[in-house]
Amino acid sequence: MKLCRAVVVWICLLAAVLFGGTAAAVAQQPPRDVLVVATSADPQTVDPGWEMDNHAWMVFYYAYDRLMAYKGGTTGVEPQLAESYSVSPDGTVWTFKLRPGVKFADGTPLDAEAVRFTFERLKAIGAGPSEVFPTLDRVEAVDPLTVRFILTRPFGPFLSTLAHPGASIVNPRAVQARATQEDPWAKRYLAENTAGSGPFVLREWRKGERLVLEANPAYWGPKPALSRVLIRIVPESNTQRLLLERGEVDIAESLTPDQIAQIESQPGVRIERHPSFFVQYVYINNRKIADPRMRQALAYAVDYAGIIATVERGLAVQMRGPIPKGMTGHDPAAFQYTHDPQRARTLLQQAGYDGRELRLLFADRFPWWPALAQYLQANFSAAGVRVKLEQYAWATLRQKYQEGDFDLALGIWTPDFADPYMFMNFWFDSSNWGLAGNRAFYSNPKVDELVRHAAASTDQAERLRLYAEAQRTVIEESPYLYLYQKTLQIPMRARVKGYVFNPMLVDMYNFPGISKD
């Protein structure tokens, strides 16, 4: 007997009610082999040669492979497309042997020419991802399975940069087939499509509605448990919360801390919490506040525990120097400033502070910044420092960062690749004043020498020793206020298994390793 669709649906709904679930929830829960992620907006593009946004990386990261990959939840890297590698004695030539038998999703073999083409395209486009490879001169395809990278000078973090999303190997055949005179690198095509060899392929993108990743049947590695990943565009956090509670999405990205607290105890919901490399600090303009004792006084004036408890609701960890916990080079024994207003007042007196009012700048970029600025203003006032708060549009504040038009300014930082270089060289090298990274306009020739030597060395033990020595100096001289690193919360259904948090892959879920009960 043939049942009409309406009758089948009715029977299902009745069964759902009888067995205690809500009809709507049962009817719309995704199957076990489909992961549904709710996110707030579409990515701008999915082109690995153009994008520098974690939101976009979530979509395309597992549609591509790279020569190196992060090891599980760590910042260490291991070969992915590479089988082995070697480096010349002077550190400027890296040679990789490629894994044989790898094919792109359309069946095209992935070879050394594809690697060479990828980096030629990256450099030609010249967007943000190309800046991750500051010393890359050129790439040569030696033979089908051997590729050589030639650097203009040694670069210690080089292997780590090859795990960056910008190092995703693209299919030259797919690019060349869509290239035109006006668009020789097929940016328009790769903005909305993937052309990689990874475990998933972007099959559909309905803007404002959803993106669909499907398992790549030609993938060379272990077959993922998920057949599809559905990324739903759900702008409202209240709607995301409702969908998560009903089991219609497995991961909800954009819930507020209040919403997370309200759903945490609900059956079937799990909250993952992990310390991130998203750090919050304060730039002290060293050209205007040149006496280290004045900067140390500001550091002792801050109530770190109070800020974390009040502004961040306990979801942060006080920094111990510039390199965050979890990053290679972090020193767990490094000196850490504490809240000591009396010590601050003594240092202010020794520095000859004349009572002038300092300008603390922030922007409307992050919702917690107004509260943080007010908290710091109160801390400084209690130590005897008058501070005026000035709020600007984000673009205006960035211009003031560049020009050094501030006494104090709020700032955040996240690393592009997993290496202390991202913190030590960008923040303290005097050649990086302004938006380039050294936003405190700090200058110490000895620190310059240490961090530059560390950047150029390929001896990891030596690099860590140099960075440790530099850290001791920049903590003592306090060119910045090292406040805290934020703790991330990821709400998901308890049935999601195999999720691994990697601090270098924030907002990016390890789709190939995830399964569902």
Coordinates of all heavy atoms in Angstrom, one line a residue, residues 292-326:
P292 N 60.4 54.5 32.3 CA 59.9 53.2 32.6 C 59.2 53.2 33.9 O 58.2 52.4 34.1 CB 61.1 52.3 32.6 CG 62.1 53.0 31.8 CD 61.9 54.5 32.0
R293 N 59.6 54.0 34.9 CA 59.0 54.0 36.2 C 57.5 54.4 36.1 O 56.6 53.9 36.8 CB 59.8 54.8 37.2 CG 61.1 54.3 37.5 CD 62.0 55.2 38.3 NE 62.2 56.5 37.5 CZ 63.0 57.5 37.9 NH1 63.5 57.4 39.1 NH2 63.2 58.5 37.2
M294 N 57.2 55.4 35.2 CA 55.9 55.8 35.0 C 55.0 54.7 34.4 O 53.9 54.5 34.8 CB 55.9 57.0 34.1 CG 54.5 57.6 33.7 SD 53.7 58.5 35.1 CE 52.2 58.9 34.3
R295 N 55.6 54.0 33.5 CA 54.9 52.9 32.9 C 54.7 51.7 33.9 O 53.6 51.1 33.9 CB 55.6 52.4 31.6 CG 55.8 53.5 30.6 CD 56.3 52.9 29.2 NE 57.5 52.2 29.3 CZ 58.7 52.7 28.9 NH1 58.8 54.0 28.5 NH2 59.8 52.0 28.9
Q296 N 55.7 51.5 34.7 CA 55.5 50.5 35.7 C 54.4 50.9 36.7 O 53.6 50.0 37.2 CB 56.8 50.2 36.4 CG 57.9 49.6 35.6 CD 59.3 49.8 36.2 OE1 59.5 50.5 37.2 NE2 60.3 49.1 35.6
A297 N 54.4 52.1 37.0 CA 53.3 52.6 37.9 C 51.9 52.3 37.4 O 51.0 51.9 38.1 CB 53.5 54.1 38.2
L298 N 51.8 52.5 36.1 CA 50.5 52.2 35.5 C 50.2 50.7 35.5 O 49.0 50.3 35.8 CB 50.5 52.7 34.0 CG 50.6 54.2 33.8 CD1 50.8 54.5 32.3 CD2 49.4 54.9 34.3
A299 N 51.2 49.9 35.4 CA 51.0 48.5 35.4 C 50.6 48.0 36.8 O 49.8 47.2 37.0 CB 52.3 47.8 35.0
Y300 N 51.2 48.7 37.9 CA 50.8 48.3 39.2 C 49.5 48.9 39.6 O 48.8 48.4 40.6 CB 51.9 48.8 40.2 CG 53.1 47.9 40.3 CD1 54.3 48.4 39.9 CD2 53.0 46.6 40.9 CE1 55.5 47.6 40.0 CE2 54.1 45.8 41.0 CZ 55.4 46.3 40.6 OH 56.5 45.5 40.7
A301 N 49.0 49.9 38.9 CA 47.7 50.5 39.3 C 46.5 49.6 38.8 O 45.4 49.8 39.3 CB 47.6 51.9 38.6
V302 N 46.7 48.7 37.9 CA 45.6 47.9 37.3 C 45.2 46.8 38.3 O 46.0 46.0 38.7 CB 46.0 47.4 36.0 CG1 44.9 46.5 35.4 CG2 46.3 48.5 35.0
D303 N 43.9 46.7 38.5 CA 43.3 45.6 39.2 C 42.9 44.5 38.2 O 41.8 44.4 37.7 CB 42.1 46.1 40.0 CG 41.4 45.0 40.7 OD1 41.9 43.8 40.8 OD2 40.3 45.2 41.3
Y304 N 43.9 43.6 37.9 CA 43.7 42.6 36.9 C 42.5 41.7 37.2 O 41.7 41.3 36.4 CB 45.0 41.8 36.7 CG 46.1 42.7 36.3 CD1 47.0 43.3 37.2 CD2 46.4 43.0 34.9 CE1 48.0 44.1 36.9 CE2 47.4 43.9 34.5 CZ 48.3 44.4 35.5 OH 49.3 45.2 35.2
A305 N 42.6 41.2 38.5 CA 41.5 40.2 38.9 C 40.1 40.9 38.8 O 39.2 40.2 38.4 CB 41.8 39.7 40.3
G306 N 40.1 42.1 39.2 CA 38.8 42.8 39.2 C 38.3 43.0 37.8 O 37.1 42.8 37.5
I307 N 39.2 43.3 36.8 CA 38.8 43.5 35.4 C 38.3 42.2 34.9 O 37.2 42.1 34.2 CB 39.9 44.0 34.6 CG1 40.2 45.5 34.9 CG2 39.7 43.8 33.1 CD1 41.4 46.1 34.2
I308 N 39.0 41.1 35.1 CA 38.6 39.8 34.6 C 37.3 39.4 35.2 O 36.4 38.9 34.5 CB 39.7 38.8 34.9 CG1 40.9 39.1 34.0 CG2 39.2 37.3 34.6 CD1 42.2 38.2 34.4
A309 N 37.1 39.6 36.5 CA 35.8 39.2 37.1 C 34.6 40.1 36.6 O 33.5 39.6 36.4 CB 35.9 39.3 38.6
T310 N 34.9 41.3 36.4 CA 33.8 42.3 36.1 C 33.5 42.4 34.6 O 32.4 42.3 34.2 CB 34.1 43.7 36.8 OG1 34.3 43.5 38.2 CG2 32.9 44.6 36.6
V311 N 34.6 42.8 33.9 CA 34.4 43.1 32.5 C 34.3 41.8 31.7 O 33.5 41.7 30.8 CB 35.6 43.9 32.0 CG1 35.5 44.2 30.5 CG2 35.8 45.2 32.8
E312 N 35.1 40.8 32.1 CA 35.1 39.5 31.3 C 34.3 38.4 32.0 O 34.3 37.3 31.5 CB 36.5 39.1 31.0 CG 37.3 40.0 30.1 CD 36.8 40.0 28.7 OE1 36.1 39.1 28.3 OE2 37.1 41.0 28.0
R313 N 33.7 38.7 33.1 CA 32.9 37.7 33.8 C 33.7 36.4 34.1 O 33.1 35.3 34.0 CB 31.6 37.4 33.1 CG 30.8 38.6 32.8 CD 29.5 38.2 32.1 NE 28.7 39.4 31.8 CZ 27.4 39.4 31.5 NH1 26.8 38.3 31.4 NH2 26.8 40.5 31.2
G314 N 34.9 36.6 34.4 CA 35.8 35.4 34.8 C 36.3 34.7 33.6 O 37.1 33.7 33.8
L315 N 35.9 35.1 32.4 CA 36.3 34.3 31.2 C 37.6 34.9 30.6 O 37.6 35.3 29.4 CB 35.2 34.3 30.2 CG 33.9 33.5 30.7 CD1 32.8 33.7 29.7 CD2 34.2 32.0 30.8
A316 N 38.7 34.9 31.3 CA 39.9 35.4 30.8 C 41.0 35.0 31.8 O 40.7 34.6 33.0 CB 39.9 36.9 30.6
V317 N 42.3 35.1 31.4 CA 43.4 34.7 32.2 C 44.4 35.9 32.1 O 44.7 36.3 31.0 CB 44.1 33.4 31.7 CG1 45.3 33.1 32.5 CG2 43.1 32.3 31.8
Q318 N 44.9 36.3 33.3 CA 45.9 37.4 33.2 C 47.1 37.0 32.5 O 47.6 35.9 32.7 CB 46.2 37.9 34.7 CG 47.2 39.1 34.7 CD 47.6 39.5 36.1 OE1 47.1 39.1 37.1 NE2 48.7 40.3 36.1
M319 N 47.6 37.9 31.7 CA 48.9 37.6 30.9 C 50.1 37.6 31.8 O 50.1 38.4 32.8 CB 49.0 38.5 29.7 CG 48.0 38.4 28.7 SD 48.3 39.4 27.2 CE 49.6 38.5 26.5
R320 N 51.1 36.9 31.5 CA 52.3 36.9 32.2 C 53.4 37.2 31.1 O 54.0 36.4 30.5 CB 52.6 35.5 32.8 CG 53.8 35.5 33.8 CD 53.9 34.1 34.4 NE 52.9 33.8 35.4 CZ 53.1 34.1 36.7 NH1 54.2 34.7 37.1 NH2 52.1 33.8 37.6
G321 N 53.5 38.5 30.8 CA 54.4 38.9 29.8 C 53.6 39.0 28.4 O 52.4 38.7 28.4
P322 N 54.3 39.2 27.3 CA 53.6 39.4 26.1 C 53.2 38.1 25.3 O 52.3 38.2 24.5 CB 54.7 40.2 25.2 CG 56.0 39.8 25.8 CD 55.7 39.6 27.3
I323 N 53.9 37.0 25.6 CA 53.5 35.8 24.9 C 52.5 35.0 25.7 O 52.7 34.7 26.9 CB 54.8 34.9 24.7 CG1 55.8 35.6 23.9 CG2 54.4 33.6 24.0 CD1 57.1 34.9 23.7
P324 N 51.3 34.8 25.1 CA 50.2 34.2 25.9 C 50.5 32.7 26.3 O 51.3 32.0 25.6 CB 49.0 34.3 25.0 CG 49.6 34.4 23.6 CD 50.9 35.1 23.7
K325 N 49.8 32.3 27.3 CA 49.9 30.9 27.7 C 49.4 30.0 26.6 O 48.4 30.2 25.9 CB 49.0 30.7 28.9 CG 49.0 29.3 29.5 CD 48.1 29.3 30.8 CE 48.1 27.9 31.4 NZ 47.2 27.8 32.6
G326 N 50.2 28.9 26.3 CA 49.8 28.0 25.2 C 50.7 28.2 24.0 O 50.8 27.3 23.2

